[in-house]
Amino acid sequence: MRMRRDVTTVVVGLTACVALSTAPPASATYAGRNGEVVFGSVTDAGRQLFTVTTNGRSTTQVTHVDGDASFPDWSPDGRMIVFDVQGDDSCSIMLMGADGSDPRDMSHGRPGCEENASFTPDGRSLVFVAQRCEDCTEGIWSMDLTGHHLRLITPSPVGMHSKDPNVSPDGTRLGLVAEDEQNLAGIFVMDLAPGGTLREVVPRSHDVSRKLDWSPDSRRILFSDNANESDRPANLTTVRPDGSGLRLLTRYTDASTRAFSGSFSPDGHWVVARLETSSGYTLVRISARGGPVHPILFSPDTPQTGSDWGAATYG
């Protein structure tokens, strides 16, 4: 992947496999001190990734790739970010340092499309969606941090397209979003013990967002509803892994107000999300139990996509 060396203009305005079952307990966003948020935004060189402090005072562009960078995910220790790169005729996975250093292609030119990677709780592997064009199959795979030692975890649900697979922080379950031919999406969960199979725990009638996140204690999954229904409000929602205990974090009733999920904070007390209103797009944080939103970053024209909250590092 050829990296761009020029500095692009940001179009954002500021105001804010069974082996996986043995992974040691940790957090999808890492249980620890809260660090920065990574998100995607459009530039004059396509979509790129940025990090921002949660007070909104410091924003840094961390990718300069040819193509569109999207779906970022922090490593548990906050030192690396994995993300997608979409080109005209390709889609692949890249890994880099949290500051954008040492970008590496994890897909190694393999046929088909590899995307939506996230770290396993021990930080040693990635899980991702792969479409193998030679036999028209799709599934969830794992690989190590060199992009090798691939292992199929599970095929995608029959007739559906998978998005954003994530292993629970305790290493016992896999969660993902899957959408059908009508572009309606639900949440599926499977046990990573031998014999585990995907089961739909949030029905497609909720039309969930294409991004989910586990809470640091593995007890709840974050998503948004009504993701593709522009005539209805979208609200931040959490649910237990078995589909029970649905909880609204926001209660918007106006279709012009839509909240799209990002992730839990590393300490588990907050959620980062994108709030869309008639005035623009705001990256916000909100209590993991619901309440008022706190602005981080505002853009009048360009949404902040795929937000993920990383852990602070200690040098």
Side-chain angles (χ1 to χ4, degrees):
M1 185 65 64
R2 183 171 63 87
M3 307 301 293
R4 295 185 62 89
R5 296 182 182 274
D6 58 301
V7 177
T8 56
T9 302
V10 184
V11 189
V12 291
L14 293 180
T15 310
C17 84
V18 174
L20 295 178
S21 64
T22 62
S27 168
T29 46
Y30 194 70
R33 192 175 61 148
N34 295 341
E36 295 183 326
V37 173
V38 63
F39 65 94
S41 188
V42 173
T43 74
D44 59 4
R47 186 169 298 279
Q48 302 293 336
L49 300 182
F50 300 79
T51 56
V52 61
T53 54
T54 53
N55 60 15
R57 294 176 182 171
S58 178
T59 304
T60 304
Q61 183 172 341
V62 291
T63 64
H64 299 83
V65 300
D66 289 333
D68 290 323
S70 61
F71 265 96
D73 185 81
W74 288 96
S75 64
D77 63 6
R79 297 182 183 276
M80 292 182 288
I81 298 172
V82 66
F83 61 100
D84 292 357
V85 176
Q86 300 281 339
D88 291 337
D89 301 306
S90 64
C91 51
S92 58
I93 294 167
M94 293 196 72
L95 180 68
M96 66 180 180
D99 60 357
S101 61
D102 190 26
R104 290 167 278 167
D105 180 7
M106 294 288 103
S107 295
H108 298 295
R110 288 186 286 264
C113 180
E114 297 182 353
E115 60 185 356
N116 295 179
S118 65
F119 283 88
T120 54
D122 61 5
R124 298 177 181 176
S125 302
L126 303 171
V127 294
F128 62 99
V129 179
Q131 295 172 298
R132 302 301 181 197
C133 298
E134 65 272 17
D135 53 8
C136 297
T137 61
E138 180 186 275
I140 311 304
W141 292 71
S142 68
M143 62 180 167
D144 63 22
L145 299 190
T146 69
H148 298 103
H149 297 97
L150 275 67
R151 182 174 302 183
L152 177 66
I153 302 172
T154 180
S156 292
V158 176
M160 302 185 75
H161 179 50
S162 296
K163 287 284 188 182
D164 201 27
N166 279 266
V167 177
S168 61
D170 61 10
T172 63
R173 300 182 185 96
L174 175 76
L176 58 87
V177 175
E179 61 182 355
D180 61 22
E181 294 179 354
Q182 287 73 47
N183 294 322
L184 293 174
I187 292 177
F188 288 72
V189 173
M190 69 174 286
D191 294 332
L192 287 173
T197 58
L198 286 169
R199 60 192 184 280
E200 191 170 23
V201 298
V202 177
R204 277 159 276 177
S205 58
H206 285 266
D207 188 22
V208 307
S209 54
R210 275 48 176 179
K211 190 177 192 309
L212 60 77
D213 193 58
W214 291 89
S215 62
D217 60 9
S218 299
R219 294 180 180 178
R220 302 196 73 83
I221 297 172
L222 171 71
F223 67 97
S224 294
D225 61 5
N226 300 327
N228 285 318
E229 301 179 31
S230 59
D231 60 341
R232 302 179 64 183
N235 281 290
L236 300 174
T237 309
T238 66
V239 68
R240 297 189 187 106
D242 63 1
S244 67
L246 208 68
R247 177 190 296 161
L248 290 174
L249 305 188
T250 58
R251 296 181 179 274
Y252 300 118
T253 58
D254 186 341
S256 66
T257 303
R258 298 169 61 75
F260 288 95
S261 61
S263 75
F264 285 91
S265 62
D267 66 8
H269 297 319
W270 298 93
V271 162
V272 64
R274 179 179 79 248
L275 183 63
E276 298 184 0
T277 66
S278 57
S279 61
Y281 307 91
T282 307
L283 193 67
V284 300
R285 63 181 174 91
I286 181 174
S287 167
R289 300 191 65 84
V293 297
H294 303 269
I296 298 173
L297 190 70
F298 174 74
S299 170
D301 303 309
T302 306
Q304 309 89 353
T305 58
S307 57
D308 196 56
W309 201 328
T313 59
Y314 293 87

